[in-house]
């Protein structure tokens, strides 16, 4: 890829740039040499590398983020969340019909990997077209394509790879416009206009590049009198033609019965609302009133750029900004690129109103920096070329040596990028989201209703239910969709068991308040929802949902219902139909959750990733500790003196065994083949609490051998708790005192084999 194709134009031929009319003649040597090899052989080598690596790392199943929404929408020709992303969904739908291999998730992941590889190829030829310098193309494309951010989001069913492709094409058309003859520029502008329209059918952030590039092209055409009124109208028409994929929204409303469609697209107002993201906050990442922190966002952008693209790319980017005005062949183009970069960065720093204290939200924000990294990579490649040109001007006799050094250096840099990020971006064996969804669905009885909140839980379960046919007896309802007025009309055909309370349309927390004022908004609340399903004998389960109702002020249901942990989900039960302790313990003893290291060990994943969030949730207190607390609270006065009663001993032992089994289940082999437990401090604390209860229970009846067995477990568990705990809190001081008392009372507690439990 570092083969030299031509001599770099001398600085004497790149003096002050005159009018565009003269620029073609002035740089004819430069342009002809590049035009002749507009697609040189090494660019196809780069294409093969990018596509091959991306395909090798393609996600095996449903990825995290919004991928589940896109897969379900493409599979059923539905409409994804605002603004709908109709081009990506339509391409995915067609691809799934012709590509014969794999699951629906793998098919769309595979297509995205190809798109991502082509996007990197476009960046390669754009940089080469700009500089005519192969090492620059290698540096720019490898820095971008093999950064973790770009790589990870180019191998799963996300829209960022397609956005990278369109933004790369826009950058390429800037060069094409600037270096074509004046009389041909109007046609180039029409081509760019069509690309811009298509780009707007994918991700709206491209409008910031389109605005700068389009304004520059328009001013240039007017200044040079290079466009007629008819051509101007044709340019607008070509942009409109590029927007035609948005017809997928109303077509989907009439041709598809997708269970995932977001919005009602049978009306013009519904289509406009969706395209304008009115339900999402238009040009904001979050539909709330949080004010964006411009300075914090800018600092994050700069640090992320250096981390992702590497210090060499960042340095050559700065060098380009310091030296590009000396080179007439790139001067205007770099100005346009820089203007687009500055506008996007300033706008996004001002509008990105998300919580930067949350690692997962920072990870969401980072995805939008790919569009800036694209430009910075090209300018970094340009900076390498200006650096080379200035060196050659000063040391002309070393031109060949300098070229070879920079060629080898750019290839080594690209290889280093790929090697450093390969393991964290290889998703070919990652089926975490699918396992997560299966664990949620497996805990449900036949013919039940599941209400859930959050993208991860919603997309994973709905993908399995509506794309693979897994647990077809269960109706899966997304709480966010349920709260929109279009919910009933759009989704009622998808449900077999879900009942719309009193034939009302959508959920709203203010339902009771409105009724008390004599108002009727055709809404229902959770009490209404639970009432009709309980009367019909349909089990209702929730996941990651009920805490949010406190924020929404919907609390009336709590007077009549409660949620109890049942395997991986929570069962909604009437308070006048309490669950017996035996029933609860039987459910815990027959848990169906499938624990794997991939699901449980958060240390395997980056801090800002959805995978880490899933691992934390999977092994969180709601999975292991909440059921245990429910069981303990069901034992009469267990937190008073109830745990000392002999009649309560069997139930406490059953709880102890459940916790002990959970620890065995969560023990995996580390890289050296040793057992490693994937638990948090609260998990150790709770097993210590239960064993401490049993220690005192047996000691009360003078069964000292059994008491010491559980005392030993208490010391072991609370010692691990103290090792993981960094807080100075009352329970930490209490556990330290109890450990000290136990060891002083029985010095050989940890060494005597008679004190080992058989289970």
């Amino acid at each position: 890829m570092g083969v030299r194709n031509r001599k770099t134009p001398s600085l004497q031929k790149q003096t002050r740039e005159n009018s565009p009319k003269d620029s073609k003649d002035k740089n004819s040597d430069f342009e002809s040499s590049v035009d002749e090899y507009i697609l040189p052989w090494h660019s196809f080598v780069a294409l093969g590398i990018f596509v091959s690596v991306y395909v090798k790392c393609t996600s095996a199943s449903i990825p995290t983020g919004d991928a589940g929404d896109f897969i379900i929408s493409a599979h059923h020709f539905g409409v994804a969340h605002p603004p709908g992303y109709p081009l990506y969904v339509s391409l995915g739908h067609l691809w799934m019909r012709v590509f014969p291999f794999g699951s629906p998730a793998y098919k769309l992941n595979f297509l995205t990997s190809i798109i991502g590889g082509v996007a990197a190829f476009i960046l390669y030829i754009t940089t080469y077209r700009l500089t005519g310098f192969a090492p620059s193309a290698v540096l720019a494309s490898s820095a971008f394509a093999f950064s973790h951010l770009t790589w990870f989001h180019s191998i799963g069913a996300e829209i960022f790879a397609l956005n990278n492709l369109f933004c790369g094409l826009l950058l390429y058309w800037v060069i094409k416009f600037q270096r074509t003859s004046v009389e041909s520029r109007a046609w180039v502008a029409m081509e760019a206009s069509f690309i811009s329209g298509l780009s707007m059918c994918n991700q709206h952030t491209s409008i910031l590049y389109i605005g700068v590039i389009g304004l520059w092209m328009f001013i240039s055409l007017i200044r040079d009198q290079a466009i007629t009124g008819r051509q101007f109208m044709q340019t607008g028409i070509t942009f409109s033609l590029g927007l035609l994929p948005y017809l997928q929204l109303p077509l989907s409303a009439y041709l598809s019965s997708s269970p995932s469609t977001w919005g009602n697209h049978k009306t013009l107002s519904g289509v406009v609302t969706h395209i304008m993201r009115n339900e999402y906050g238009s040009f904001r990442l979050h539909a709330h009133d949080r004010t964006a922190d411009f300075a914090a966002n800018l600092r994050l952008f700069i640090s992320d750029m250096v981390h992702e693209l590497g210090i060499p790319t960042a340095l050559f980017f700065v060098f380009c900004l310091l030296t590009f005005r000396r080179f007439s062949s790139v001067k205007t183009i770099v100005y346009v690129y820089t203007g687009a970069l500055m506008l996007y960065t300033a706008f996004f720093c001002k509008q990105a109103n998300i919580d930067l204290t949350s690692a997962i939200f920072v990870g969401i924000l980072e995805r939008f920096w790919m569009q800036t990294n694209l430009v910075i990579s090209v300018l970094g490649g340009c900076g390498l070329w200006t650096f080379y040109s200035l060196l050659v001007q000063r040391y002309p006799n070393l031109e060949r040596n300098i070229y070879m050094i920079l060629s080898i250096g750019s290839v080594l840099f690209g290889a280093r990028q790929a090697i450093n990020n390969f393991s964290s971006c290889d998703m070919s064996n990652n089926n975490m989201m699918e396992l997560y969804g299966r664990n949620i669905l497996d805990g449900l009885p036949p013919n039940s209703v599941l209400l859930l909140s959050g993208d991860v839980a919603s997309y994973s379960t709905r993908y399995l239910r509506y794309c693979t046919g897994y647990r077809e007896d269960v109706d899966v309802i997304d709480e966010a969709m349920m709260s929109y007025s279009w919910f009933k009309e759009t989704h009622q055909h998808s449900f077999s068991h879900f009942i719309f309370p009193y034939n009302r349309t959508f959920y709203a927390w203010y339902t009771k308040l409105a009724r008390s004022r004599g108002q009727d908004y055709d809404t229902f609340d959770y009490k209404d929802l639970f009432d009709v399903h309980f009367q019909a004998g349909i089990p209702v389960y929730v996941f990651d949902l009920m805490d949010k109702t406190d924020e929404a002020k919907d609390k009336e249901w709590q007077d009549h219902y409660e949620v109890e942990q049942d395997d991986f989900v929570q069962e909604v039960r009437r308070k006048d139909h309490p669950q017996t302790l035996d029933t609860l313990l039987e459910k815990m003893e027959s848990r169906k959750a499938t624990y794997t290291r991939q699901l449980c060990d958060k240390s395997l994943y980056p801090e800002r990733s959805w995978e880490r969030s899933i691992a934390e949730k999977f092994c969180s207190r709601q999975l292991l500790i909440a059921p245990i607390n429910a069981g303990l609270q069901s034992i009469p006065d267990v937190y008073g003196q109830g745990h000392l009663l002999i009649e309560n001993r069997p139930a406490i032992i059953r709880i102890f065994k459940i916790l002990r089994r959970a620890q065995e289940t969560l023990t995996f082999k580390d890289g050296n083949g040793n057992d490693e437990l994937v638990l948090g401090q609260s998990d150790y604390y709770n097993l210590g609490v239960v064993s401490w209860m049993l220690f005192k229970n047996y000691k009360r009846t003078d069964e000292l051998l059994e008491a010491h067995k559980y005392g030993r477990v208490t010391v072991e568990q609370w010692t691990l708790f103290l090792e993981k705990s960094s807080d100075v809190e009352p329970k930490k001081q209490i556990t330290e005192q109890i450990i000290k008392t136990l060891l002083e009372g029985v010095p050989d507690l940890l060494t005597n084999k008679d004190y080992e439990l058989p289970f």
Side-chain angles (χ1 to χ4, degrees):
M1 290 162 56
V3 176
R4 187 179 177 192
N5 293 291
R6 58 166 186 81
K7 285 185 176 294
T8 302
S10 63
L11 292 180
Q12 289 80 359
K13 291 185 179 181
Q14 299 185 54
T15 55
R16 183 187 177 98
E17 182 177 19
N18 296 326
S19 68
K21 292 182 180 181
D22 299 325
S23 63
K24 173 72 177 175
D25 296 333
K26 179 183 292 294
N27 300 306
S28 58
D29 292 345
F30 178 86
E31 293 168 45
S32 61
S33 59
V34 179
D35 286 341
E36 184 179 355
Y37 301 101
I38 188 63
L39 291 178
W41 66 266
H42 48 80
S43 67
F44 291 103
V45 173
L47 174 63
I49 292 174
F50 294 138
V51 172
S52 298
V53 171
Y54 279 6
V55 167
K56 165 63 178 71
C57 297
T58 297
S59 295
S61 183
I62 174 176
T64 53
D66 294 326
D69 189 26
F70 296 124
I71 296 169
I72 303 168
S73 298
H75 185 70
H76 292 281
F77 197 61
V79 178
H81 63 279
Y85 308 95
L87 181 59
Y88 184 72
V89 169
S90 299
L91 289 173
H93 182 73
L94 294 174
W95 178 260
M96 287 182 180
R97 296 300 174 269
V98 300
F99 189 68
F101 305 108
S103 64
Y106 181 77
K107 290 179 180 181
L108 194 55
N109 295 338
F110 191 93
L111 174 63
T112 306
S113 296
I114 295 175
I115 293 173
V118 174
F121 167 72
I122 296 297
L123 180 62
Y124 186 98
I125 63 174
T126 297
T127 309
Y128 184 74
R129 181 79 164 88
L130 176 66
T131 64
F133 192 54
S136 292
V138 174
L139 175 75
S141 59
S142 59
F144 180 76
F146 293 139
S147 66
H148 179 273
L149 187 63
T150 304
W151 194 342
F152 187 82
H153 291 289
S154 296
I155 56 175
E158 284 276 12
I159 47 84
F160 297 104
L162 189 58
N163 185 63
N164 294 338
L165 188 149
F166 281 125
C167 289
L169 287 174
L170 288 172
L171 298 183
Y172 182 86
W173 250 258
V174 168
I175 303 171
K176 185 176 181 181
F177 180 90
Q178 175 66 11
R179 293 188 178 161
T180 195
S181 61
V182 171
E183 55 271 15
S184 300
R185 286 183 173 178
W187 297 105
V188 176
M190 291 181 200
E191 296 168 354
S193 181
F194 180 70
I195 294 170
S196 300
L198 289 175
S199 180
M200 287 298 294
C201 293
N202 184 59
Q203 187 166 327
H204 285 178
T205 56
S206 61
I207 188 64
L208 299 171
Y209 284 7
I210 293 169
V212 172
I213 293 170
L215 180 62
W216 167 69
M217 287 185 176
F218 177 74
I219 293 174
S220 299
L221 291 170
I222 296 297
R223 180 193 61 196
D224 298 332
Q225 300 179 355
I227 189 171
T228 64
R230 181 178 180 180
Q231 289 174 324
F232 182 78
M233 292 181 61
Q234 290 173 336
T235 303
I237 292 172
T238 56
F239 180 80
S240 300
L241 291 175
L243 296 175
L244 284 178
Y246 274 116
L247 291 176
Q248 187 263 343
L249 274 63
L251 286 175
S252 171
Y254 291 98
L255 300 179
S256 170
S257 57
S258 172
S260 68
T261 286
W262 185 291
N264 182 359
H265 308 290
K266 292 184 178 181
T267 65
L268 179 61
S269 62
V271 172
V272 173
T273 295
H274 199 76
I275 295 175
M276 297 304 296
R277 291 174 53 95
N278 291 338
E279 295 169 336
Y280 252 45
S282 294
F283 290 105
R284 294 194 166 205
L285 286 182
H286 244 291
H288 54 52
D289 296 328
R290 181 190 301 273
T291 301
D293 188 334
F294 184 94
N297 285 335
L298 184 60
R299 289 194 297 270
L300 176 64
F301 159 66
I302 294 173
S303 63
D304 184 81
M305 180 268 291
V306 175
H307 173 73
E308 292 291 337
L309 302 181
I311 294 177
T313 308
L315 291 177
F316 283 121
F317 164 68
V318 174
F319 192 79
C320 173
L321 297 181
L322 295 174
T323 60
F324 76 93
R325 285 175 292 180
R326 302 185 187 185
F327 301 86
S328 62
S329 61
V330 301
K331 182 178 178 181
T332 299
I333 297 168
V334 173
Y335 270 128
V336 175
Y337 288 177
T338 305
L341 175 65
M342 292 176 63
L343 176 64
Y344 183 93
T345 304
F347 183 88
F348 220 85
C349 288
K350 181 66 173 64
Q351 294 298 111
N353 59 332
I354 66 172
D355 181 10
L356 297 182
T357 62
S358 168
I360 191 64
F361 281 134
V362 171
I364 292 173
L365 175 60
E366 282 181 322
R367 302 177 303 173
F368 295 92
W369 296 132
M370 273 183 278
Q371 192 166 319
T372 58
N373 289 350
L374 188 78
V375 178
I376 291 171
S377 297
V378 174
L379 294 179
C382 184
L384 177 62
W385 171 69
T386 62
F387 176 73
Y388 166 76
S389 299
L390 292 175
L391 279 179
V392 169
Q393 181 190 27
R394 186 162 185 175
Y395 306 104
N397 294 333
L398 299 177
E399 178 180 3
R400 186 175 184 83
N401 293 334
I402 295 171
Y403 185 92
M404 292 303 299
I405 291 173
L406 294 182
S407 296
I408 295 172
S410 63
V411 172
L412 291 177
F413 171 78
R416 179 179 177 275
Q417 278 278 90
I419 293 171
N420 286 349
N421 293 316
F422 180 82
S423 60
S424 63
C425 292
D426 184 7
M427 297 290 110
S428 58
N429 294 313
N430 188 346
N431 61 345
M432 185 188 205
M433 279 279 281
E434 184 171 333
L435 289 173
Y436 188 70
R438 287 179 183 273
N439 275 283
I440 296 175
L441 293 174
D442 284 346
L444 301 172
N447 305 319
S448 56
V449 169
L450 173 64
L451 303 175
L452 39 69
S453 177
D455 291 346
V456 172
S458 177
Y459 294 151
S460 61
T461 53
R462 288 196 292 139
Y463 164 75
L464 289 168
R465 168 65 179 84
Y466 299 114
C467 290
T468 70
Y470 191 74
R471 290 306 305 267
E472 291 184 329
D473 60 308
V474 174
D475 285 345
V476 181
I477 293 90
D478 183 278
E479 178 265 348
M481 286 186 170
M482 190 174 68
S483 62
Y484 287 99
S485 59
W486 43 259
F487 175 67
K488 182 179 179 182
E489 181 177 355
T490 305
H491 291 281
Q492 59 182 337
H493 64 273
S494 303
F495 305 133
S496 302
H497 313 295
F498 181 79
I499 302 172
F500 286 87
Y502 317 117
N503 207 31
R504 293 177 175 269
T505 303
F506 65 101
Y507 165 80
W509 67 268
Y510 51 77
T511 297
K512 182 182 178 182
L513 178 63
R515 290 174 187 166
S516 68
R517 297 176 177 176
Q519 300 168 323
D520 189 350
Y521 293 112
D522 195 25
T523 61
F524 57 85
D525 57 18
Y526 277 120
K527 182 181 181 301
D528 296 333
L529 187 65
F530 298 155
D531 281 346
V532 296
H533 287 87
F534 187 83
Q535 293 165 8
I538 299 174
V540 177
Y541 288 77
V542 297
F543 182 83
D544 197 21
L545 180 65
M546 288 296 103
D547 290 341
K548 297 189 177 183
T549 61
D550 288 341
E551 300 174 7
K553 304 177 182 178
D554 181 5
K555 297 184 179 181
E556 186 185 7
W557 67 271
Q558 298 178 31
D559 296 332
H560 308 275
Y561 295 91
E562 59 186 356
V563 292
E564 294 183 352
Q565 195 74 28
D566 185 0
D567 203 30
F568 198 48
V569 291
Q570 292 173 307
E571 181 183 7
V572 179
R573 300 183 59 86
R574 286 190 63 91
K575 287 188 174 180
D576 54 4
H577 290 69
Q579 185 171 222
T580 65
L581 176 60
D582 281 341
T583 301
L584 177 62
L585 293 176
E586 286 174 4
K587 286 183 177 180
M588 289 192 290
E589 289 168 340
S590 60
R591 291 181 60 85
K592 299 176 183 177
T594 303
Y595 293 94
T596 65
R597 186 176 195 124
Q598 191 179 82
L599 266 176
C600 302
D601 191 353
K602 66 180 182 180
S603 66
L604 298 176
Y605 307 105
E607 182 182 6
R608 298 172 181 175
S609 67
W610 280 107
E611 285 83 359
R612 188 181 184 93
S613 175
I614 294 173
E616 290 174 344
K617 184 175 291 294
F618 198 88
C619 290
S620 68
R621 284 187 293 271
Q622 72 169 0
L623 301 181
L624 295 179
I625 299 174
I628 301 306
N629 285 339
L632 291 174
Q633 289 167 2
S634 300
I635 299 174
D637 194 31
V638 73
Y639 285 117
Q641 299 298 315
H643 61 279
L644 300 178
L645 301 178
I646 301 301
E647 56 266 31
N648 289 334
R649 182 184 295 173
I652 301 176
I653 290 176
R654 288 175 72 182
I655 292 175
F656 176 86
K657 290 181 177 180
I658 292 168
L659 270 178
R660 191 76 161 186
R661 189 190 68 178
Q663 285 203 358
E664 294 174 357
T665 305
L666 292 171
T667 301
F668 305 100
K669 298 293 184 182
D670 62 16
N672 299 320
N674 300 318
D675 287 344
E676 182 180 1
L677 212 57
V678 184
L679 288 175
Q681 63 183 45
S682 297
D683 303 287
Y684 296 113
Y685 177 78
N686 274 265
L687 183 55
V689 168
V690 177
S691 57
W692 172 243
M693 290 179 178
L694 289 169
F695 167 79
K696 295 203 293 183
N697 190 295
Y698 279 106
K699 189 174 181 181
R700 187 182 187 191
T701 56
D702 292 328
E703 297 176 73
L704 297 183
L705 179 60
E706 293 299 315
H708 292 159
K709 289 179 180 179
Y710 288 102
R712 177 172 181 162
V713 176
T714 301
V715 172
E716 292 171 344
Q717 293 297 312
W718 279 351
T719 299
L720 291 169
F721 160 71
L722 293 172
E723 290 176 358
K724 286 182 172 286
S725 177
S726 58
D727 300 326
V728 178
E729 49 185 324
K731 68 180 180 181
K732 182 177 180 180
Q733 298 171 358
I734 293 172
T735 53
E736 288 176 338
Q737 182 60 45
I738 291 175
I739 290 173
K740 181 179 179 182
T741 301
L742 284 171
L743 293 178
E744 288 177 350
V746 188
D748 63 342
L749 186 65
L750 298 178
T751 56
N752 192 328
K753 292 186 177 181
D754 292 335
Y755 299 152
E756 293 181 354
L757 282 171
F759 51 85

